[in-house]
Coordinates of all heavy atoms in Angstrom, one line a residue:
M1 N 0.8 -1.2 0.0 CA 0.0 0.0 0.0 C 0.9 1.2 0.0 O 1.9 1.3 0.8 CB -0.9 0.0 1.2 CG -1.8 1.1 1.3 SD -3.0 1.2 0.0 CE -4.4 0.6 0.7
L2 N 0.6 2.2 -0.9 CA 1.3 3.4 -0.9 C 0.8 4.4 0.1 O -0.4 4.5 0.2 CB 1.2 4.0 -2.3 CG 1.8 3.2 -3.5 CD1 1.5 3.9 -4.8 CD2 3.3 3.1 -3.3
S3 N 1.7 5.1 0.7 CA 1.3 6.3 1.5 C 0.9 7.4 0.6 O 1.2 7.5 -0.6 CB 2.5 6.7 2.5 OG 3.5 7.3 1.7
R4 N 0.2 8.4 1.2 CA -0.2 9.6 0.4 C 1.1 10.3 -0.2 O 1.1 10.8 -1.3 CB -1.0 10.6 1.3 CG -2.4 10.1 1.5 CD -3.1 11.1 2.3 NE -2.5 11.3 3.6 CZ -3.1 11.9 4.6 NH1 -4.2 12.5 4.5 NH2 -2.5 12.0 5.8
R5 N 2.1 10.3 0.6 CA 3.4 11.0 0.2 C 4.0 10.2 -1.0 O 4.4 10.8 -2.0 CB 4.4 11.1 1.3 CG 5.6 11.8 0.9 CD 6.5 12.0 2.0 NE 5.8 12.9 3.0 CZ 6.3 13.6 4.0 NH1 7.6 13.5 4.1 NH2 5.6 14.3 4.8
E6 N 4.0 8.9 -0.9 CA 4.6 8.1 -2.0 C 3.7 8.2 -3.3 O 4.3 8.3 -4.3 CB 4.7 6.6 -1.6 CG 5.7 6.4 -0.5 CD 5.7 5.0 0.1 OE1 4.5 4.4 0.1 OE2 6.6 4.5 0.5
F7 N 2.4 8.2 -3.1 CA 1.5 8.4 -4.2 C 1.8 9.7 -4.9 O 1.8 9.8 -6.1 CB 0.1 8.2 -3.8 CG -0.9 8.4 -4.9 CD1 -1.1 7.4 -5.9 CD2 -1.6 9.6 -5.1 CE1 -1.9 7.5 -6.9 CE2 -2.4 9.7 -6.2 CZ -2.6 8.7 -7.1
G8 N 1.9 10.8 -4.1 CA 2.1 12.1 -4.7 C 3.4 12.2 -5.4 O 3.4 12.8 -6.5
Q9 N 4.4 11.6 -4.9 CA 5.7 11.5 -5.6 C 5.6 10.8 -6.9 O 6.1 11.2 -7.9 CB 6.8 10.9 -4.7 CG 7.2 11.8 -3.5 CD 8.1 11.1 -2.5 OE1 8.2 9.9 -2.5 NE2 8.6 11.9 -1.6
L10 N 4.9 9.6 -6.9 CA 4.7 8.8 -8.1 C 3.9 9.6 -9.1 O 4.2 9.5 -10.3 CB 4.0 7.5 -7.7 CG 3.7 6.6 -8.9 CD1 5.0 6.1 -9.5 CD2 2.9 5.4 -8.4
A11 N 2.9 10.3 -8.7 CA 2.1 11.1 -9.6 C 2.9 12.2 -10.2 O 2.8 12.4 -11.5 CB 0.9 11.7 -8.9
L12 N 3.7 12.8 -9.5 CA 4.6 13.9 -10.1 C 5.6 13.3 -11.0 O 5.9 13.9 -12.1 CB 5.3 14.7 -9.0 CG 4.4 15.6 -8.2 CD1 5.1 16.2 -7.0 CD2 3.8 16.7 -9.1
V13 N 6.2 12.2 -10.7 CA 7.2 11.6 -11.5 C 6.6 11.1 -12.8 O 7.3 11.2 -13.9 CB 7.9 10.5 -10.8 CG1 8.8 9.6 -11.7 CG2 8.7 11.0 -9.6
S14 N 5.4 10.7 -12.8 CA 4.7 10.2 -14.0 C 4.3 11.2 -15.0 O 3.9 10.9 -16.1 CB 3.6 9.3 -13.6 OG 2.5 10.0 -13.1
L15 N 4.3 12.5 -14.7 CA 4.0 13.5 -15.6 C 4.9 13.6 -16.8 O 6.1 13.5 -16.6 CB 3.9 14.9 -14.9 CG 2.8 15.1 -14.0 CD1 3.0 16.5 -13.3 CD2 1.5 15.1 -14.6
P16 N 4.4 13.6 -18.0 CA 5.3 13.7 -19.1 C 5.9 15.1 -19.3 O 5.3 16.0 -19.8 CB 4.4 13.4 -20.3 CG 3.1 13.7 -19.9 CD 3.1 13.5 -18.4
L17 N 7.1 15.3 -18.8 CA 7.7 16.6 -18.8 C 8.1 17.0 -20.2 O 8.2 18.2 -20.4 CB 9.0 16.5 -17.9 CG 8.7 16.3 -16.5 CD1 10.0 16.2 -15.7 CD2 7.7 17.2 -15.8
G18 N 8.2 16.2 -21.2 CA 8.6 16.6 -22.5 C 7.4 17.1 -23.3 O 7.6 17.8 -24.3
L19 N 6.2 16.9 -22.8 CA 5.0 17.4 -23.5 C 4.5 18.7 -22.8 O 4.4 18.7 -21.6 CB 3.8 16.4 -23.4 CG 4.1 15.0 -24.1 CD1 2.9 14.1 -23.8 CD2 4.2 15.2 -25.6
P20 N 4.2 19.7 -23.5 CA 3.6 20.9 -22.9 C 2.2 20.5 -22.3 O 1.4 19.9 -23.0 CB 3.5 21.9 -24.0 CG 4.0 21.2 -25.3 CD 4.4 19.8 -24.9
L21 N 2.0 20.9 -21.1 CA 0.8 20.5 -20.4 C -0.5 21.3 -20.8 O -1.6 20.9 -20.6 CB 1.0 20.6 -18.9 CG 2.1 19.6 -18.3 CD1 2.2 19.8 -16.8 CD2 1.7 18.2 -18.6
D22 N -0.2 22.5 -21.3 CA -1.4 23.4 -21.6 C -1.9 23.3 -23.1 O -2.7 24.1 -23.4 CB -1.0 24.8 -21.3 CG 0.2 25.3 -22.1 OD1 0.9 24.5 -22.6 OD2 0.4 26.5 -22.1
T23 N -1.3 22.4 -23.9 CA -1.8 22.4 -25.3 C -3.0 21.5 -25.5 O -3.7 21.7 -26.5 CB -0.6 21.9 -26.2 OG1 -0.2 20.6 -25.8 CG2 0.5 22.9 -26.2
I24 N -3.3 20.6 -24.6 CA -4.4 19.7 -24.8 C -5.6 20.3 -24.1 O -5.6 20.6 -23.0 CB -4.1 18.3 -24.2 CG1 -3.0 17.6 -24.9 CG2 -5.4 17.4 -24.3 CD1 -2.6 16.3 -24.4
N25 N -6.6 20.5 -24.9 CA -7.9 21.0 -24.4 C -9.0 20.0 -24.7 O -9.5 20.0 -25.9 CB -8.2 22.4 -25.0 CG -9.5 23.0 -24.4 OD1 -10.1 22.5 -23.5 ND2 -9.9 24.1 -25.0
S26 N -9.3 19.2 -23.8 CA -10.3 18.2 -24.0 C -11.7 18.6 -23.4 O -12.5 17.8 -23.0 CB -9.9 16.8 -23.5 OG -9.6 16.9 -22.1
K27 N -11.9 19.9 -23.5 CA -13.3 20.4 -23.0 C -14.1 20.7 -24.2 O -13.7 21.4 -25.1 CB -13.0 21.7 -22.2 CG -14.3 22.2 -21.5 CD -14.0 23.5 -20.7 CE -13.2 23.2 -19.5 NZ -13.1 24.4 -18.6
I28 N -15.3 20.2 -24.2 CA -16.2 20.3 -25.3 C -17.6 20.9 -24.7 O -18.2 20.3 -23.9 CB -16.5 19.0 -26.1 CG1 -15.2 18.5 -26.7 CG2 -17.6 19.2 -27.2 CD1 -15.3 17.2 -27.4
H29 N -17.9 22.1 -25.2 CA -19.1 22.8 -24.7 C -19.2 22.8 -23.2 O -20.2 22.6 -22.5 CB -20.4 22.1 -25.2 CG -20.5 22.0 -26.7 ND1 -20.8 23.2 -27.4 CD2 -20.5 21.0 -27.5 CE1 -20.8 22.9 -28.7 NE2 -20.7 21.5 -28.8
G30 N -18.0 23.1 -22.6 CA -17.9 23.3 -21.1 C -17.7 22.0 -20.4 O -17.6 22.0 -19.2
V31 N -17.8 20.8 -21.0 CA -17.7 19.5 -20.3 C -16.3 19.0 -20.5 O -15.8 18.9 -21.6 CB -18.7 18.5 -20.9 CG1 -18.5 17.2 -20.2 CG2 -20.1 19.1 -20.7
R32 N -15.6 18.7 -19.5 CA -14.2 18.1 -19.5 C -14.4 16.6 -19.8 O -14.9 15.9 -19.0 CB -13.5 18.3 -18.2 CG -13.2 19.8 -18.0 CD -12.4 20.1 -16.7 NE -12.1 19.0 -15.9 CZ -11.8 19.1 -14.6 NH1 -11.7 20.3 -14.0 NH2 -11.4 18.0 -13.9
L33 N -13.8 16.2 -20.9 CA -13.7 14.8 -21.2 C -12.4 14.2 -20.8 O -11.4 14.8 -20.9 CB -13.9 14.6 -22.8 CG -15.2 15.1 -23.4 CD1 -15.2 14.9 -24.9 CD2 -16.4 14.4 -22.7
G34 N -12.5 12.9 -20.3 CA -11.3 12.3 -19.9 C -11.4 10.8 -20.3 O -12.3 10.3 -20.9
I35 N -10.4 10.1 -19.8 CA -10.3 8.7 -20.1 C -9.7 8.0 -18.8 O -9.0 8.6 -18.0 CB -9.4 8.4 -21.3 CG1 -9.5 7.1 -21.9 CG2 -8.0 8.8 -21.0 CD1 -9.0 6.9 -23.3
Q36 N -9.9 6.7 -18.7 CA -9.2 5.9 -17.7 C -8.1 5.2 -18.3 O -8.2 4.6 -19.4 CB -10.2 5.0 -16.9 CG -9.5 4.4 -15.7 CD -10.3 3.3 -15.0 OE1 -10.7 2.4 -15.7 NE2 -10.5 3.5 -13.7
S37 N -7.0 5.1 -17.6 CA -5.8 4.4 -18.2 C -6.1 2.9 -18.4 O -5.3 2.2 -19.0 CB -4.5 4.7 -17.3 OG -4.7 4.1 -16.0
Y38 N -7.2 2.4 -17.9 CA -7.5 1.0 -18.2 C -7.7 0.8 -19.7 O -7.3 -0.3 -20.1 CB -8.9 0.7 -17.5 CG -9.4 -0.7 -17.8 CD1 -8.9 -1.8 -17.0 CD2 -10.3 -1.0 -18.8 CE1 -9.3 -3.1 -17.3 CE2 -10.7 -2.3 -19.1 CZ -10.3 -3.3 -18.3 OH -10.7 -4.6 -18.6
S39 N -8.0 1.8 -20.4 CA -8.1 1.6 -21.9 C -6.8 1.3 -22.5 O -6.8 0.8 -23.6 CB -8.7 2.9 -22.5 OG -10.0 3.2 -21.9
F40 N -5.7 1.6 -21.8 CA -4.4 1.4 -22.3 C -3.6 0.4 -21.3 O -2.5 0.5 -21.1 CB -3.6 2.7 -22.4 CG -4.2 3.6 -23.4 CD1 -5.1 4.6 -22.9 CD2 -4.0 3.5 -24.7 CE1 -5.7 5.5 -23.8 CE2 -4.5 4.4 -25.6 CZ -5.4 5.4 -25.2
R41 N -4.4 -0.6 -20.8 CA -3.9 -1.5 -19.8 C -2.7 -2.4 -20.3 O -2.0 -2.9 -19.6 CB -5.0 -2.4 -19.2 CG -5.7 -3.3 -20.3 CD -6.9 -3.9 -19.7 NE -7.7 -4.6 -20.7 CZ -8.5 -4.0 -21.5 NH1 -8.7 -2.7 -21.5 NH2 -9.2 -4.8 -22.4
D42 N -2.6 -2.5 -21.6 CA -1.6 -3.4 -22.2 C -0.3 -2.6 -22.3 O 0.8 -3.2 -22.7 CB -2.0 -3.9 -23.6 CG -2.3 -2.7 -24.6 OD1 -2.7 -1.6 -24.1 OD2 -2.1 -2.9 -25.8
K43 N -0.2 -1.3 -21.9 CA 1.0 -0.5 -22.0 C 1.4 -0.2 -20.6 O 0.6 0.0 -19.7 CB 0.7 0.8 -22.7 CG 0.3 0.6 -24.2 CD 0.0 1.9 -24.8 CE -0.6 1.8 -26.2 NZ 0.2 1.2 -27.1
P44 N 2.7 0.0 -20.4 CA 3.2 0.5 -19.1 C 2.7 2.0 -18.9 O 2.3 2.6 -19.9 CB 4.7 0.4 -19.2 CG 5.1 0.1 -20.6 CD 3.8 -0.4 -21.3
L45 N 2.8 2.5 -17.8 CA 2.2 3.8 -17.4 C 2.8 4.9 -18.3 O 2.0 5.7 -18.9 CB 2.5 4.2 -16.0 CG 1.9 5.5 -15.5 CD1 0.4 5.6 -15.7 CD2 2.2 5.8 -14.1
D46 N 4.1 5.0 -18.5 CA 4.6 6.1 -19.4 C 4.1 6.0 -20.8 O 3.7 7.0 -21.4 CB 6.2 6.0 -19.4 CG 6.7 6.4 -18.0 OD1 6.1 7.1 -17.3 OD2 7.9 6.0 -17.7
D47 N 4.0 4.8 -21.3 CA 3.5 4.7 -22.7 C 2.0 5.0 -22.8 O 1.5 5.5 -23.7 CB 3.8 3.3 -23.3 CG 5.2 3.0 -23.4 OD1 6.0 4.0 -23.5 OD2 5.6 1.8 -23.5
A48 N 1.3 4.6 -21.7 CA -0.2 4.9 -21.6 C -0.4 6.4 -21.6 O -1.3 6.9 -22.3 CB -0.8 4.2 -20.4
I49 N 0.4 7.1 -20.9 CA 0.3 8.6 -20.8 C 0.5 9.2 -22.2 O -0.2 10.1 -22.6 CB 1.2 9.2 -19.7 CG1 0.7 8.8 -18.3 CG2 1.3 10.7 -19.8 CD1 1.6 9.1 -17.2
K50 N 1.6 8.7 -22.8 CA 1.9 9.2 -24.2 C 0.7 8.9 -25.2 O 0.4 9.8 -26.0 CB 3.2 8.6 -24.7 CG 4.4 9.1 -24.0 CD 5.7 8.3 -24.5 CE 6.9 8.7 -23.6 NZ 8.0 7.9 -24.0
A51 N 0.2 7.7 -25.1 CA -0.9 7.4 -26.0 C -2.2 8.2 -25.7 O -2.9 8.6 -26.6 CB -1.2 5.9 -25.8
I52 N -2.4 8.5 -24.4 CA -3.6 9.3 -24.1 C -3.4 10.8 -24.6 O -4.3 11.3 -25.2 CB -3.7 9.4 -22.6 CG1 -4.2 8.0 -22.1 CG2 -4.7 10.5 -22.1 CD1 -4.2 7.8 -20.5
A53 N -2.2 11.3 -24.5 CA -1.9 12.6 -25.1 C -2.0 12.6 -26.6 O -2.5 13.5 -27.2 CB -0.5 13.0 -24.7
E54 N -1.6 11.5 -27.3 CA -1.6 11.4 -28.7 C -3.1 11.4 -29.2 O -3.3 11.9 -30.3 CB -1.0 10.1 -29.2 CG 0.6 10.2 -29.1 CD 1.2 8.8 -29.5 OE1 0.5 7.9 -29.9 OE2 2.4 8.8 -29.3
V55 N -4.0 10.8 -28.5 CA -5.4 10.9 -28.9 C -6.1 12.2 -28.5 O -7.3 12.3 -28.9 CB -6.2 9.6 -28.4 CG1 -5.7 8.4 -28.9 CG2 -6.3 9.6 -26.9
G56 N -5.4 13.0 -27.8 CA -5.9 14.4 -27.6 C -6.8 14.5 -26.3 O -7.6 15.4 -26.2
I57 N -6.6 13.6 -25.4 CA -7.3 13.7 -24.1 C -6.4 14.3 -23.0 O -5.2 13.8 -22.9 CB -7.8 12.3 -23.6 CG1 -8.7 11.7 -24.7 CG2 -8.5 12.4 -22.3 CD1 -10.0 12.4 -24.9
G58 N -6.9 15.3 -22.3 CA -6.1 15.9 -21.3 C -6.4 15.5 -19.9 O -5.8 16.0 -18.9
E59 N -7.4 14.7 -19.6 CA -7.9 14.3 -18.3 C -7.8 12.8 -18.2 O -8.1 12.1 -19.1 CB -9.3 14.7 -18.0 CG -9.6 16.2 -18.2 CD -9.1 17.0 -17.1 OE1 -9.0 16.5 -15.9 OE2 -8.8 18.2 -17.3
C60 N -7.3 12.3 -17.1 CA -7.0 10.9 -17.0 C -7.2 10.4 -15.5 O -6.8 11.0 -14.6 CB -5.6 10.5 -17.4 SG -5.3 8.8 -17.3
E61 N -7.9 9.3 -15.4 CA -8.0 8.6 -14.1 C -7.2 7.4 -14.2 O -7.3 6.6 -15.2 CB -9.5 8.2 -13.8 CG -9.7 7.4 -12.5 CD -11.1 6.9 -12.3 OE1 -11.9 7.0 -13.3 OE2 -11.4 6.6 -11.2
L62 N -6.3 7.2 -13.2 CA -5.4 6.0 -13.3 C -6.0 4.7 -12.9 O -6.7 4.6 -11.9 CB -4.1 6.3 -12.5 CG -3.2 7.4 -13.0 CD1 -2.1 7.6 -12.0 CD2 -2.7 7.1 -14.3
F63 N -5.7 3.7 -13.7 CA -6.1 2.3 -13.4 C -5.2 1.8 -12.3 O -4.0 2.0 -12.4 CB -6.1 1.5 -14.7 CG -6.4 0.1 -14.5 CD1 -7.5 -0.4 -13.8 CD2 -5.6 -0.9 -15.2 CE1 -7.7 -1.8 -13.7 CE2 -5.9 -2.2 -15.1 CZ -6.9 -2.7 -14.4
S64 N -5.7 1.1 -11.3 CA -4.8 0.6 -10.2 C -3.6 -0.2 -10.7 O -2.5 -0.1 -10.1 CB -5.6 -0.2 -9.2 OG -6.2 -1.3 -9.8
Y65 N -3.8 -0.9 -11.8 CA -2.7 -1.7 -12.3 C -1.4 -0.9 -12.6 O -0.3 -1.3 -12.5 CB -3.2 -2.5 -13.5 CG -2.0 -3.1 -14.4 CD1 -1.5 -4.4 -14.0 CD2 -1.5 -2.5 -15.5 CE1 -0.5 -4.9 -14.7 CE2 -0.5 -3.0 -16.2 CZ 0.0 -4.3 -15.8 OH 1.0 -4.8 -16.6
H66 N -1.6 0.3 -13.1 CA -0.6 1.2 -13.4 C 0.2 1.7 -12.2 O 1.3 2.2 -12.4 CB -1.1 2.3 -14.3 CG -1.3 1.9 -15.7 ND1 -2.5 2.1 -16.3 CD2 -0.5 1.3 -16.6 CE1 -2.5 1.7 -17.5 NE2 -1.3 1.2 -17.7
I67 N -0.4 1.8 -11.0 CA 0.3 2.4 -9.9 C 0.6 1.5 -8.7 O 1.4 1.8 -7.9 CB -0.5 3.7 -9.4 CG1 -1.9 3.3 -9.0 CG2 -0.4 4.8 -10.5 CD1 -2.6 4.5 -8.4
E68 N -0.1 0.4 -8.7 CA 0.1 -0.6 -7.6 C 1.0 -1.7 -8.0 O 0.9 -2.2 -9.2 CB -1.2 -1.1 -7.1 CG -2.1 0.0 -6.4 CD -3.4 -0.6 -6.0 OE1 -3.7 -1.8 -6.2 OE2 -4.2 0.2 -5.5
P69 N 1.7 -2.3 -7.1 CA 2.5 -3.5 -7.4 C 1.6 -4.6 -7.7 O 0.5 -4.7 -7.2 CB 3.4 -3.7 -6.2 CG 2.7 -3.0 -5.1 CD 1.9 -1.9 -5.7
P70 N 2.0 -5.6 -8.6 CA 1.1 -6.7 -8.9 C 0.9 -7.6 -7.6 O 1.8 -7.6 -6.8 CB 1.9 -7.5 -9.9 CG 3.3 -7.0 -9.9 CD 3.3 -5.6 -9.3
P71 N -0.2 -8.2 -7.5 CA -0.5 -9.0 -6.3 C 0.4 -10.2 -6.3 O 0.8 -10.8 -7.3 CB -1.9 -9.4 -6.5 CG -2.2 -9.3 -8.0 CD -1.3 -8.3 -8.5
T72 N 0.8 -10.6 -5.1 CA 1.6 -11.9 -4.9 C 0.7 -12.9 -4.2 O 0.1 -12.5 -3.2 CB 2.9 -11.5 -4.1 OG1 2.5 -11.0 -2.8 CG2 3.8 -10.6 -4.8
F73 N 0.6 -14.0 -4.8 CA -0.2 -15.1 -4.2 C 0.7 -16.1 -3.6 O 1.8 -16.4 -4.0 CB -1.0 -15.7 -5.4 CG -2.0 -14.8 -6.0 CD1 -1.7 -14.2 -7.2 CD2 -3.2 -14.4 -5.4 CE1 -2.6 -13.3 -7.8 CE2 -4.1 -13.6 -6.0 CZ -3.7 -13.0 -7.2
L74 N 0.2 -16.6 -2.4 CA 1.0 -17.5 -1.7 C 0.8 -18.9 -2.2 O 0.0 -19.4 -2.7 CB 0.6 -17.5 -0.2 CG 0.9 -16.1 0.4 CD1 0.3 -16.1 1.9 CD2 2.3 -15.8 0.4

């Protein structure tokens, strides 16, 4: 389980610094459109963020698979 501090650090590190953050406007008629990273579950987080930006979406909810360690079964 991640602490709030660890999650915040992970969220900041995962931002694509090479992409300008203010160029994507996914607001249509005042409604902010977004996507969940589950749609890109076959990609690692960095690649999923790049793919989301490529399709022109600026809002994202992270799928737990992208930020949590995989479960270990005994």
Side-chain angles (χ1 to χ4, degrees):
M1 181 61 104
L2 295 174
S3 70
R4 287 184 294 192
R5 181 173 299 198
E6 291 169 331
F7 178 79
Q9 291 170 345
L10 178 64
L12 287 175
V13 170
S14 67
L15 289 175
L17 298 178
L19 296 174
L21 297 178
D22 59 344
T23 59
I24 298 176
N25 182 8
S26 56
K27 189 182 285 189
I28 298 176
H29 299 294
V31 177
R32 292 179 2 196
L33 297 180
I35 196 167
Q36 191 189 52
S37 64
Y38 177 82
S39 301
F40 299 95
R41 63 191 172 277
D42 59 331
K43 300 178 183 302
L45 180 60
D46 290 337
D47 293 340
I49 291 172
K50 289 177 187 173
I52 291 167
E54 286 175 7
V55 297
I57 300 293
E59 304 284 332
C60 178
E61 176 184 16
L62 292 176
F63 176 46
S64 62
Y65 167 82
H66 283 124
I67 56 173
E68 294 178 357
T72 57
F73 298 100
L74 300 176

